[in-house]
Structure formats: C-alpha cells, structure tokens
C-alpha cells in the first residue's frame, strides 16, 4: 500500500511540474497531504532521473528534466 501511494503521488507531482514548470518545495508541501510521502515521491522521481533539483536563494526548486515535458500517469 505504501509503495502504491508513493507512486501515485509521484505521478501527480510529475503532472503538476509538467503543467507549471518550475515549482518550489514550499508549494509542493502545500500540494501533498503528507511531507514524508512528498519526500519519498520526490526521491522516487529523482531516482528515475525525471527531475532537476536546485537550491535558490530562499527555497529548493524542482522541474522536469529534458527538452520536452510529458505527462506521467
């Protein structure tokens, strides 16, 4: 059950990033229902080499990796 929930949230985060582009960690924390699931889902996407993450002056930023963006279901 845990893996299924993490995978589902990872798909929702990926779709959100494809639609909006760059998003801050703060905004993602408001989107996710649980911070632990959020971090596990971001780790999942990073492990699959789907995201770029970098530190800005005030927050962490995430965006889809690659020249084109696709929807991940």
């Amino acid at each position: 059950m845990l893996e299924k929930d993490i995978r589902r949230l990872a798909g929702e985060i990926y779709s959100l990033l494809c639609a909006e582009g760059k998003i801050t960690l703060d905004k993602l924390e408001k989107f996710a229902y649980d911070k632990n699931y959020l971090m596990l889902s971001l780790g999942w996407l990073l492990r699959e080499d789907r995201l770029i993450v970098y530190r800005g002056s005030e927050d962490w930023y995430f965006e889809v990796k690659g020249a084109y963006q696709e929807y991940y279901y």
Side-chain angles (χ1 to χ4, degrees):
M1 186 67 152
L2 179 66
E3 184 178 331
K4 185 177 179 181
D5 292 336
I6 293 167
R7 188 179 309 154
R8 182 187 53 75
L9 182 57
E12 291 173 6
I13 291 169
Y14 193 82
S15 294
L16 179 67
L17 287 166
C18 286
E20 296 193 20
K22 181 172 52 174
I23 297 180
T24 64
L25 180 60
D26 189 44
K27 187 171 182 180
L28 286 172
E29 286 175 347
K30 293 175 185 171
F31 173 77
Y33 54 90
D34 182 77
K35 187 173 181 177
N36 292 325
Y37 278 89
L38 172 64
M39 294 303 166
L40 289 167
S41 297
L42 289 171
W44 184 295
L45 291 168
L46 286 165
R47 177 70 175 103
E48 289 186 347
D49 202 27
R50 300 278 187 155
L51 298 181
I52 297 170
V53 60
Y54 54 94
R55 178 83 170 152
S57 60
E58 297 191 16
D59 206 350
W60 290 93
Y61 292 89
F62 296 86
E63 62 183 314
V64 173
K65 191 175 213 175
Y68 65 95
Q69 297 172 344
E70 62 186 48
Y71 286 93
Y72 179 73
Y73 296 98

